[in-house]
Amino acid sequence: MIHPNGARGDKQAAVSSFARAYGAKPPSYALEIGRIDTRMLGPDLCLATYEERHRGERGRARIASAVLRRRPQGGIEWLQLQETPAPHLDNE
């Protein structure tokens, strides 16, 4: 994972961060995903690009790109995630 500030993180750090954040936001908070664009890169490989807004937390909007792979046993595996700050999305 490459965070909006350019810092790199691994899978374990991302999972730990999500676990710590669970239930920590106020009820008015919402993570909103939109303008999703997907492109197949191979039979089981996809590039997804989307806009992410954090309702209740201005200044955290971003555009993200993720490389995803379908697992043979089912489900999807995130191979790469890069997030780019997009402060202009807070004004839309």
Side-chain angles (χ1 to χ4, degrees):
M1 177 174 187
I2 302 173
H3 298 275
N5 66 3
R8 292 176 181 254
D10 61 14
K11 179 180 178 179
Q12 186 56 48
V15 170
S16 295
S17 175
F18 288 132
R20 282 192 310 276
Y22 181 76
K25 302 288 184 183
S28 60
Y29 175 84
L31 179 62
E32 300 171 341
I33 304 295
R35 296 187 182 162
I36 301 167
D37 179 46
T38 59
R39 286 179 240 150
M40 294 306 296
L41 302 176
D44 294 317
L45 200 61
C46 175
L47 172 65
T49 303
Y50 56 91
E51 293 179 358
E52 179 179 308
R53 291 179 177 85
H54 298 253
R55 188 174 67 207
E57 293 184 359
R58 293 185 59 77
R60 294 199 55 210
R62 56 196 70 178
I63 297 172
S65 292
V67 178
L68 310 168
R69 178 173 55 199
R70 185 184 336 241
R71 292 181 173 179
Q73 66 275 25
I76 294 173
E77 177 179 23
W78 289 65
L79 300 178
Q80 177 75 19
L81 173 62
Q82 179 157 355
E83 299 179 324
T84 303
H88 68 282
L89 295 177
D90 284 329
N91 300 321
E92 290 183 1

